Amino acid sequence: MTASVRRRRLAALLTAVALGTVTACSSGEGAVPTDSGTGQEQSLLDRAPVASEADLATSPTAQAIKQRGQILIGSQLDTPLLSQQNPTTGQTEGFDAILGRLLAKYILGRPNTKIVNSTSQIREALLQNSTVDVVLHTYSITPTRAEKVSFAGPYFVSGPAIMARKGDSAVTKPQDLKGKKVLAVTNSTGAALLPQYEPEQIITLSSNSECMAALEQGRADAYVNDLTQLAGNAVTNDKVQVNSGTFGQDPYGVGIRHGDETFKQFINDWLKKIQAAGLWQEAYKQTLGTVIPGDAPAPPATGSVPGS
């Protein structure tokens, strides 16, 4: 499926959101944009900045990564448009995946990354025991999480939305969740929001793919997660639909070890450089922008939300 076809389909999808119901695109299409391939991304990487020795000298963590020759990134491999492994090439594709390679290029001079599976339940632990250098995958910045880890950024702002099985329009707004069985990813901001809407049961599972399977099996009436993730699900699965626009905002940050202020400043400086160079915007257009209509949004300012 071409990018133009995806744009038309999501334009229709978002129009349906405004009407209260969103129908999924057909299955069998590429799980990630097929034309966000190596040519476009390689051009982006070729123009990506590389930290100077003076830049690296400001952060012992960046220096350690440089010496190791590889950055360890906490992420997942099953999130279309953000971070999903291409079964043919083995390459991880999506907005978060590209940002990870840009960060690697900045520190190492080459995009050498290793993805460490990082579910919502273990992200803080992976940072606290230094199993990963960063968590860069839909990691919403909250004051509570900021007591355990530090956040650079935010680098993107999404928001929670509601997904249901195709043809089911019983839940189209947060108030409709009352008395329903609702799925959410464990330790996600969506899960934290749900109690105020008084659902009959909140079912938390460890990953987006597990929640999707449970929704298809009829174990719940609805699934609440960030719109970016739900849009990716709708593009690749014709058994589900997005039933609402966003309610609330989820600012995504780059998670790092708590208190590492020099690495936080190092990453914030990198974010400003790729935003000023238009690389952030190109990464968006190659991934989320292939299905979300309109120009790339303005990147959020670093340090602009509580906890960052």
Side-chain angles (χ1 to χ4, degrees):
M1 181 167 59
T2 66
S4 61
V5 171
R6 274 198 183 80
R7 289 192 184 95
R8 288 196 298 272
R9 287 188 173 183
L10 195 67
L13 181 150
L14 293 179
T15 299
V17 165
L19 296 174
T21 301
V22 181
T23 302
C25 297
S26 63
S27 62
E29 302 289 354
V32 292
T34 56
D35 53 354
S36 68
T38 56
Q40 283 187 331
E41 183 178 329
Q42 189 58 53
S43 172
L44 190 153
L45 287 169
D46 288 344
R47 291 174 282 122
V50 177
S52 66
E53 289 300 323
D55 293 327
L56 289 167
T58 65
S59 169
T61 299
Q63 293 177 67
I65 295 169
K66 174 83 171 182
Q67 185 172 20
R68 185 195 307 134
Q70 185 178 57
I71 184 169
L72 308 176
I73 299 177
S75 185
Q76 295 186 35
L77 303 175
D78 63 351
T79 312
L81 306 177
L82 292 169
S83 181
Q84 184 180 49
Q85 188 170 43
N86 184 315
T88 302
T89 66
Q91 179 90 326
T92 306
E93 300 174 332
F95 184 66
D96 289 349
I98 291 178
L99 290 192
R101 286 190 281 274
L102 288 173
L103 179 58
K105 172 78 181 292
Y106 187 61
I107 297 173
L108 305 168
R110 56 197 177 95
N112 189 16
T113 64
K114 179 179 180 180
I115 302 297
V116 177
N117 188 43
S118 174
T119 63
S120 299
Q121 303 97 312
I122 62 173
R123 289 181 296 201
E124 283 82 16
L126 292 178
L127 287 169
Q128 290 165 344
N129 62 25
S130 299
T131 300
V132 299
D133 299 307
V134 300
V135 172
L136 207 170
H137 181 56
T138 65
Y139 200 0
S140 301
I141 301 173
T142 70
T144 300
R145 288 175 180 163
E147 294 176 359
K148 300 177 182 178
V149 302
S150 292
F151 288 101
Y155 69 89
F156 189 78
V157 177
S158 182
I162 299 168
M163 171 162 274
R165 287 178 293 280
K166 186 176 182 181
D168 183 351
S169 299
V171 181
T172 60
K173 57 184 182 300
Q175 291 74 17
D176 294 335
L177 296 169
K178 185 174 182 178
K180 302 293 195 302
K181 295 181 180 178
V182 186
L183 291 156
V185 175
T186 303
N187 198 30
S188 65
T189 51
L193 285 173
L194 287 176
Q196 65 183 296
Y197 298 109
E198 302 179 12
E200 175 189 343
Q201 183 182 6
I202 301 172
I203 303 171
T204 56
L205 300 173
S206 62
S207 68
N208 172 65
S209 57
E210 289 182 55
C211 288
M212 284 293 294
L215 182 64
E216 289 186 47
Q217 293 162 5
R219 293 169 56 191
D221 303 296
Y223 169 33
V224 171
N225 204 339
D226 286 353
L227 180 60
T228 52
Q229 295 209 18
L230 299 186
N233 295 339
V235 168
T236 58
N237 188 327
D238 65 356
K239 298 179 181 176
V240 296
Q241 61 190 27
V242 179
N243 272 12
S244 78
T246 58
F247 52 102
Q249 289 192 330
D250 273 348
Y252 295 167
V254 181
I256 61 174
R257 191 160 45 85
H258 189 261
D260 193 343
E261 291 299 319
T262 57
F263 193 39
K264 177 179 177 177
Q265 186 60 53
F266 180 88
I267 294 176
N268 281 341
D269 290 343
W270 160 73
L271 279 170
K272 293 173 184 174
K273 289 179 181 178
I274 64 170
Q275 292 166 0
L279 302 175
W280 184 97
Q281 293 84 344
E282 287 189 42
Y284 175 90
K285 290 177 182 176
Q286 291 179 20
T287 55
L288 294 166
T290 62
V291 294
I292 298 176
D295 296 332
T302 59
S304 59
V305 300
S308 64

